[in-house]
């Protein structure tokens, strides 16, 4: 039901301010870096059963929500362990591929070991993002579970190099604040935070889902026309044909249909993706429309004070009453355009998932 969906999307915490008329990079290439050093396998009072398990669960949830709000973006998963850095998955828009790799990492017996290397992670991230187009926002999100780093060279030189490459690095620590991690986030224009608990870690990750405002300087992504294709649906039941899966460079013989590239005619199993034959980015009209709310976000609703006098426009439940013999309490939120009142759960659902007021959009 609408009420159960609204209650599931609600989370505590302050709402971020809505910025209108801000240039944002809706096409993003994000590298999710996990610190899989020996410290990630340690038991923590706040991060049970282990920091690795908590990181993998939070990263898997982040990947699913990331593609819901950023359907024209790509994501890759990197890990740093044993003083090295390696790619767990390649840049792609296949959320199932990333989530399967994260589940396998959490279940692996040798998933953690040695020390983390921030320098190797930054160097690998810079090399991975070097082939990304200039109009795409390049981002790195590091989940750190260590207080130390073991690097082969000058970490500050690598930091200067990745900052010059227009890569924004955000760091979330699961232990405590580390100076070099905060400096990496500050010098690259990213965000830094320390997760106090599992819900707090989820909240910090959710803040990074919307595209960040683009700085208007020489390091900002360039303006460019992007050539995209809208494939036609090929129904299943026909003759078997070579079909590409998202993130795969080798086709498979399948007979369950797919999406035909309008430029070269090659079949693809799912969208969005990039055609490996003609390098055309393939989207559906629905995916493209989902990025609209980042450029024109739904304004925050005004808090309604005083005794309840109406029902919630979304779920139809009565707005909660203010406590007796006390100051008037917040019991609803009112749309500034149409005046419709919503409860806190529906308010969260509209701003986090639907991105539209049903009263304004209705007949």
């Amino acid at each position: 039901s609408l009420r159960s969906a609204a209650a599931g999307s609600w989370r505590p915490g302050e709402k971020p301010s809505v910025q209108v008329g801000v240039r944002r990079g809706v096409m993003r290439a994000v590298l999710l870096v996990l610190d899989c050093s020996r410290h990630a396998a340690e038991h923590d009072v706040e991060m049970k059963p282990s920091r690795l398990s908590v990181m993998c669960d939070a990263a898997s949830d982040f990947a699913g929500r990331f593609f819901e709000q950023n359907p024209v973006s790509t994501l890759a998963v990197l890990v740093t362990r044993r003083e090295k850095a390696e790619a767990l998955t390649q840049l792609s828009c296949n959320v199932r591929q990333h989530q399967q790799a994260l589940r396998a990492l959490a279940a692996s017996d040798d998933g953690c070991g040695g020390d983390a290397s921030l320098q190797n992670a930054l160097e690998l991230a810079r090399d991975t993002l070097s082939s990304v187009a200039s109009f795409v926002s390049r981002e790195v999100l590091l989940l750190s579970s260590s207080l130390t780093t073991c690097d082969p060279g000058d970490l500050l030189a690598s930091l200067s190099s990745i900052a010059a490459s227009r890569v924004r690095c955000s760091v979330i620590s699961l232990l405590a604040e580390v100076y070099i991690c905060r400096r990496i986030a500050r010098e690259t224009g990213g965000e830094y935070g320390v997760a106090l608990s599992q819900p707090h870690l989820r909240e910090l990750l959710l803040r990074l889902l919307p595209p960040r405002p683009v700085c208007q300087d020489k390091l900002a992504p360039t303006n460019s026309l992007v050539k995209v294709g809208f494939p036609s649906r090929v129904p299943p039941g026909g003759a078997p044909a070579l079909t590409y899966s998202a993130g795969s460079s080798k086709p498979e013989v399948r007979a369950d249909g797919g999406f035909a590239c309008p430029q070269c005619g090659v079949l693809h199993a799912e969208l969005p993706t990039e055609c490996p034959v003609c390098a055309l980015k393939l989207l559906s009209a629905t995916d493209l429309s989902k990025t609209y709310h980042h450029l024109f976000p739904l304004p925050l609703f005004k808090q309604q004070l005083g005794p309840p006098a109406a029902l919630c426009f979304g779920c139809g439940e009565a707005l909660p009453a203010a406590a007796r013999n006390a100051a008037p309490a917040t019991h609803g939120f009112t749309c500034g355009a149409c005046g419709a009142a919503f409860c806190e759960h529906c308010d969260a659902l509209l701003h986090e998932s639907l991105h539209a007021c049903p009263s304004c959009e209705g007949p």
Side-chain angles (χ1 to χ4, degrees), residues 110-352:
D110 59 345
C112 301
D115 293 322
S117 176
L118 290 179
Q119 183 183 14
N120 287 331
L122 292 180
E123 294 285 351
L124 179 59
R126 185 196 60 187
D127 296 341
T128 303
L129 295 173
S130 61
S131 59
V132 175
S134 60
F135 53 81
V136 177
S137 296
R138 308 171 186 180
E139 304 176 35
V140 173
L141 173 56
L142 170 63
L143 299 183
S144 175
S145 60
S146 303
L147 299 178
T148 59
T149 176
C150 183
D151 302 317
D154 188 358
L155 175 57
L156 298 182
S158 300
L159 174 57
S160 300
S161 176
I162 199 170
S165 300
R166 299 186 291 106
V167 178
R168 176 187 282 118
C169 300
S170 299
V171 184
I172 299 178
S173 176
L174 276 68
L175 277 176
E177 180 174 334
V178 181
Y179 167 76
I180 187 59
C181 293
R182 177 174 285 278
R183 180 170 177 178
I184 290 174
R186 183 181 69 248
E187 295 193 4
T188 59
E191 303 288 338
Y192 182 77
V194 178
L196 304 178
S197 60
Q198 296 186 35
H200 189 215
L201 173 62
R202 176 176 177 268
E203 183 176 347
L204 292 176
L205 288 173
L206 290 179
R207 293 178 183 177
L208 300 175
L209 288 177
R212 313 303 296 174
V214 175
C215 299
Q216 301 296 331
D217 55 21
K218 63 180 180 180
L219 298 181
T222 59
N223 293 324
S224 179
L225 295 177
V226 183
K227 186 177 181 180
V228 299
F230 298 95
S232 57
R233 171 68 175 170
V234 177
L242 293 176
T243 306
Y244 284 91
S245 300
S248 176
S249 59
K250 296 182 179 180
E252 302 175 351
V253 178
R254 304 173 61 170
D256 53 354
F259 301 90
C261 175
Q263 186 163 274
C264 64
V266 172
L267 287 181
H268 297 269
E270 54 190 12
L271 297 176
T273 186
E274 183 173 332
C275 182
V277 177
C278 61
L280 181 65
K281 192 169 186 63
L282 305 178
L283 304 173
S284 67
T286 304
D287 292 334
L288 195 58
S289 64
K290 288 181 181 179
T291 62
Y292 180 84
H293 71 270
H294 293 309
L295 303 177
F296 304 95
L298 178 65
L300 294 179
F301 293 163
K302 299 178 181 179
Q303 295 184 354
Q304 184 179 358
L305 303 178
L311 301 178
C312 173
F313 186 87
C315 60
E317 297 289 337
L319 297 177
R324 292 184 178 181
N325 300 326
T330 300
H331 66 79
F333 300 86
T334 305
C335 175
C338 64
F342 298 90
C343 64
E344 58 182 357
H345 301 297
C346 289
D347 173 67
L349 177 67
L350 297 180
H351 284 90
E352 295 181 4

Side-chain angles (χ1 to χ4, degrees), residues 4-172:
S4 61
S9 70
W10 177 80
R11 60 182 176 87
E14 297 180 357
K15 295 181 180 133
S17 59
V18 176
Q19 296 175 312
V20 182
V22 177
R23 181 186 175 195
R24 298 177 183 271
V26 295
M27 298 188 69
R28 309 164 65 188
V30 178
L31 300 184
L32 185 57
V33 184
L34 303 184
D35 179 357
C36 295
S37 62
R38 65 178 186 274
H39 303 287
E42 297 175 353
H43 297 283
D44 193 315
V45 176
E46 299 294 340
M47 306 293 176
K48 296 180 180 180
S50 65
R51 299 189 189 102
L52 176 64
S53 177
V54 171
M55 282 193 302
C56 290
D57 290 343
S60 179
D61 179 69
F62 173 81
R65 294 176 179 269
F66 175 81
F67 286 108
E68 288 179 2
Q69 296 199 26
N70 304 271
V72 296
S73 301
T74 55
L75 180 75
V77 180
L78 311 180
V79 295
T80 172
R81 54 190 173 186
R82 301 179 182 91
E83 299 81 37
K84 299 179 181 179
E86 56 183 308
L88 197 63
T89 60
Q90 300 298 323
L91 276 173
S92 71
C93 49
N94 188 350
V95 62
R96 287 192 296 271
Q97 175 190 7
H98 303 310
Q99 292 178 337
Q100 290 174 0
L102 290 170
R103 285 194 294 267
L105 177 63
S108 176
D109 296 332
D110 59 345
C112 301
D115 293 322
S117 176
L118 290 179
Q119 183 183 14
N120 287 331
L122 292 180
E123 294 285 351
L124 179 59
R126 185 196 60 187
D127 296 341
T128 303
L129 295 173
S130 61
S131 59
V132 175
S134 60
F135 53 81
V136 177
S137 296
R138 308 171 186 180
E139 304 176 35
V140 173
L141 173 56
L142 170 63
L143 299 183
S144 175
S145 60
S146 303
L147 299 178
T148 59
T149 176
C150 183
D151 302 317
D154 188 358
L155 175 57
L156 298 182
S158 300
L159 174 57
S160 300
S161 176
I162 199 170
S165 300
R166 299 186 291 106
V167 178
R168 176 187 282 118
C169 300
S170 299
V171 184
I172 299 178

